[in-house]
């Protein structure tokens, strides 16, 4: 479980996120939606420790991790996949996975499990990551994060710039991971259908504040669009 409790965060003397509280329960997907500039990425960066909170708490499985470095949060089961399908472009797909698996007792097994979730990567193991399509790089980025054996994975706009067929595959994988147990997902997403299809609960963020909350599911789309005035 991941809890953000009255989190304020920003850059310099200016807060971008103002008193956000939300909970990501065990084995659940929670979506945060909002327009560009609403503070979504800032919120995620504060959650994973890349940005210090000016006040508030970040709690992971009952432990206050607010003052911990990102590496310490990863060691405790928090993984982060930022925007942009990030990978080591000069390394092959296999090497990108191996870099994360090195030093883990179950390293080879974890790679195999990640490839089972994203079978399209199996035929691309010898290809440099920089030559993959955007959708393939995004699958690789999520696979790399899963090799760290997280209990909570934080995804920042995983469908950005990706073809619809891959969007559907990523959604199925996220839902399957949460349903099999042992993993929770905090998902920031502008693709409303994708977010609501995957999420148990949604929050709408506007100007750094939560302005609407509800149950996930495609039936909530009209409520979300109304909250976002679109």
């Amino acid at each position: 479980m991941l809890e953000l409790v009255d989190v304020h965060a920003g850059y310099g003397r200016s807060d971008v996120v103002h008193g956000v509280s939300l909970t990501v329960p065990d084995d659940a997907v929670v979506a945060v939606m909002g327009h560009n500039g609403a503070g979504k990425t800032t919120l995620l960066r504060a959650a994973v420790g890349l940005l210090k909170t000016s006040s508030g708490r970040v709690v992971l499985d009952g432990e206050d991790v607010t003052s911990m470095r990102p590496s310490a949060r990863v060691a405790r089961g928090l993984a982060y996949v930022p925007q942009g399908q990030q990978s080591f472009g000069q390394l092959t797909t296999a090497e990108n996975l191996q870099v994360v698996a090195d030093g883990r007792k179950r390293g080879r097994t974890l790679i195999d499990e990640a490839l089972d979730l994203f079978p399209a990567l199996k035929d691309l193991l010898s290809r440099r990551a920089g030559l993959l399509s955007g959708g393939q790089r995004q699958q690789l980025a999520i696979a790399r994060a899963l090799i760290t054996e997280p209990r909570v994975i934080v995804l920042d706009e995983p469908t950005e710039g990706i073809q619809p067929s891959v969007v559907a595959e990523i959604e199925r994988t996220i839902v399957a991971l949460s349903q099999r147990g042992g993993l929770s997902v905090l998902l920031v997403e502008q693709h409303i259908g994708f977010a609501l299809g995957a999420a148990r609960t949604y929050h709408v963020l506007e100007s750094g504040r939560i302005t609407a909350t509800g149950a996930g599911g495609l039936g909530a789309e009209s409520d979300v669009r109304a909250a976002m005035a679109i």
Side-chain angles (χ1 to χ4, degrees), residues 7-230:
V7 168
H8 294 252
Y11 306 92
R13 297 182 180 180
S14 300
D15 278 348
V16 175
V17 171
H18 308 277
V20 169
S21 296
L22 61 83
T23 299
V24 184
D26 291 338
D27 307 331
V29 180
V30 173
V32 176
M33 292 173 282
H35 295 294
N36 288 333
K40 304 184 300 298
T41 294
T42 300
L43 179 66
L44 296 192
R45 288 173 60 83
V48 301
L50 294 173
L51 184 66
K52 288 186 177 180
T53 59
S54 51
S55 63
R57 294 185 298 132
V58 179
V59 181
L60 181 62
D61 285 341
E63 181 181 12
D64 190 332
V65 299
T66 312
S67 61
M68 291 184 184
R69 295 181 177 181
S71 57
R73 301 187 198 198
V74 170
R76 284 164 174 77
L78 185 61
Y80 177 45
V81 181
Q83 286 177 283
Q85 306 106 35
Q86 295 188 13
S87 60
F88 297 109
Q90 296 302 312
L91 299 182
T92 66
T93 297
E95 289 167 340
N96 266 272
L97 297 172
Q98 190 63 52
V99 163
V100 183
D102 281 346
R104 295 184 176 274
K105 292 181 180 179
R106 299 179 57 243
R108 183 63 252 177
T109 300
L110 292 169
I111 290 175
D112 290 340
E113 290 174 354
L115 290 172
D116 286 341
L117 289 168
F118 297 107
L121 296 178
K122 293 181 179 180
D123 294 330
L124 303 168
L125 291 175
S126 62
R127 186 174 300 180
R128 288 194 317 186
L131 299 178
L132 301 179
S133 70
Q136 291 163 347
R137 287 196 304 273
Q138 187 62 278
Q139 291 178 78
L140 176 58
I142 298 173
R144 282 163 45 88
L146 292 172
I147 290 172
T148 68
E149 299 183 276
R151 294 195 301 276
V152 180
I153 186 168
V154 177
L155 304 174
D156 192 355
E157 302 212 18
T159 69
E160 183 182 35
I162 294 176
Q163 60 268 39
S165 61
V166 179
V167 169
E169 184 174 349
I170 290 174
E171 179 180 350
R172 286 194 297 269
T173 301
I174 290 171
V175 172
L177 285 168
S178 65
Q179 289 178 343
R180 78 180 186 184
L183 182 70
S184 302
V185 181
L186 177 57
L187 169 68
V188 156
E189 184 56 62
Q190 292 208 48
H191 189 307
I192 295 175
F194 170 85
L196 292 177
R200 178 188 299 179
T201 305
Y202 73 83
H203 303 279
V204 174
L205 199 66
E206 182 178 350
S207 299
R209 294 178 171 85
I210 290 178
T211 57
T213 296
L218 295 178
E221 184 167 348
S222 60
D223 293 334
V224 172
R225 289 188 177 278
M228 294 175 63
I230 57 175

